[in-house]
Amino acid sequence: MTIINKRQEDILKELDEKGYVNVVDLCETLNVSTVTIRKDLNFLENEKLLHRTHGGASKQPIYAFERDVSDKEVLQVEQKKQIAAEALKYISEHDYIILGSGSNIHYLSRIITGFQKLTVLTPSLKVSLELCKETSIDTIQLGGDVRNSSTSAVGPIAESILSQFSCNKLFLGTDGVHLDFGLSTSNALEAHLNQVMIEVAEKVIVLADSTKMNIRGFGKICNLNKIDVLITDDGIDADTKMKLEEIGINVIIAGK
């Protein structure tokens, strides 16, 4: 049985509340040196009670790894359904929108119904198949190299097609929302395509359940100040929500 002291208990309590702790903040809160805090964090990591990061520690690993989109769709199902329902409120008649790829976007595509006229660009084959069920939606499928894990197109062909359009809204999925690193995904080609999407869209709406908070993917998409709206679930900690709002992001908690 692991024996930890009162200070280490306080660190874990702080971590449970926020999902991430910073060395400097812990020094001020617990009135000890940075050397002491770093020793505590290293000890707790060795006991597999947290994950060390640059300048602090997180409750879960901070790096997102590539997974098959069908595997992602069975995780956080209720949260993703609520996020999709909230995102649907941002779609209006006669919009020209981009739907990215990923499980949150796929959930959204399933409930886009009842519109008289809507134009959608997407790299996702799964999203296109869902939208084809609605005859009033004009769907433009981006071509290019298809990633097996995400069933979506990436690369210069997709980017070239996308650069010929201008859309009023982009709905973007992501593998990570990190206060320092920004928005990211596990695949570099997908990250670059998402950058082009942001360039051709007037408004960027990110769909990300709370498990994506304080996580980094391999490929950076953009800094957080590029995001207009973030739709997530009530699992996001208050500190992260506050810092995102300070950047200027409208953080929407789905289901509330």
Side-chain angles (χ1 to χ4, degrees):
M1 180 178 178
T2 301
I3 299 175
I4 60 177
N5 60 38
K6 174 65 168 57
R7 185 179 61 251
Q8 291 163 351
E9 287 179 356
D10 290 340
I11 291 172
L12 292 175
K13 182 179 179 182
E14 187 88 355
L15 193 61
D16 281 337
E17 291 176 356
K18 296 182 177 179
Y20 176 82
V21 289
N22 181 279
V23 170
V24 175
D25 292 341
L26 288 174
C27 289
E28 294 178 358
T29 302
L30 301 175
N31 195 29
V32 293
S33 69
T34 57
V35 173
T36 298
I37 291 297
R38 288 194 176 100
K39 285 181 178 178
D40 285 338
L41 295 180
N42 288 337
F43 171 78
L44 294 170
E45 182 178 48
N46 288 336
E47 296 298 327
K48 302 187 185 308
L49 296 173
L50 53 74
H51 298 271
R52 287 286 275 119
T53 67
H54 179 69
S58 65
K59 192 173 180 180
Q60 57 187 359
I62 66 165
Y63 290 100
F65 298 97
E66 190 165 354
R67 290 196 214 175
D68 192 284
V69 69
S70 58
D71 293 335
K72 292 180 182 180
E73 285 179 356
V74 298
L75 302 173
Q76 307 292 113
V77 172
E78 288 307 312
Q79 291 89 336
K80 288 176 180 178
K81 287 181 178 179
Q82 290 177 349
I83 289 169
E86 195 66 40
L88 185 64
K89 298 175 184 178
Y90 286 83
I91 301 177
S92 304
E93 291 285 359
H94 304 287
D95 270 348
Y96 294 89
I97 68 174
I98 306 171
L99 294 182
S101 59
S103 56
N104 275 297
I105 302 299
H106 191 202
Y107 272 100
L108 173 58
S109 70
R110 293 173 179 173
I111 59 172
I112 300 177
T113 60
F115 289 92
Q116 294 180 4
K117 180 67 175 176
L118 198 63
T119 302
V120 181
L121 284 75
T122 182
S124 171
L125 301 180
K126 281 192 171 186
V127 167
S128 287
L129 288 172
E130 291 291 343
L131 298 179
C132 283
K133 298 173 184 176
E134 292 288 310
T135 57
S136 60
I137 298 177
D138 292 332
T139 304
I140 299 173
Q141 172 68 57
L142 299 179
D145 298 324
V146 177
R147 288 182 60 215
N148 292 339
S149 61
S150 66
T151 61
S152 63
V154 293
I157 297 174
E159 293 170 14
S160 176
I161 297 170
L162 189 60
S163 65
Q164 300 176 47
F165 297 94
S166 176
C167 296
N168 58 329
K169 295 167 191 171
L170 163 62
F171 295 84
L172 195 62
T174 184
D175 287 328
V177 179
H178 194 277
L179 292 170
D180 297 322
F181 191 64
L183 205 66
S184 59
T185 183
S186 58
N187 182 271
L189 286 174
E190 188 171 275
H192 196 268
L193 178 63
N194 289 343
Q195 291 170 10
V196 180
M197 290 179 182
I198 291 170
E199 289 174 6
V200 302
E202 293 179 17
K203 188 170 190 175
V204 179
I205 302 163
V206 174
L207 282 57
D209 58 80
S210 58
T211 63
K212 308 291 177 60
M213 301 301 134
N214 300 309
I215 298 294
R216 299 176 183 225
F218 174 68
K220 179 173 180 174
I221 298 170
C222 66
N223 292 328
L224 295 182
N225 59 8
K226 294 280 190 179
I227 302 171
D228 297 296
V229 180
L230 171 66
I231 304 176
T232 187
D233 59 74
D234 59 8
I236 186 174
D237 66 89
D239 187 59
T240 299
K241 181 176 182 291
M242 179 187 69
K243 289 178 178 177
L244 290 170
E245 289 174 334
E246 287 174 352
I247 296 169
I249 300 171
N250 183 14
V251 180
I252 305 298
I253 307 299
K256 282 195 172 183

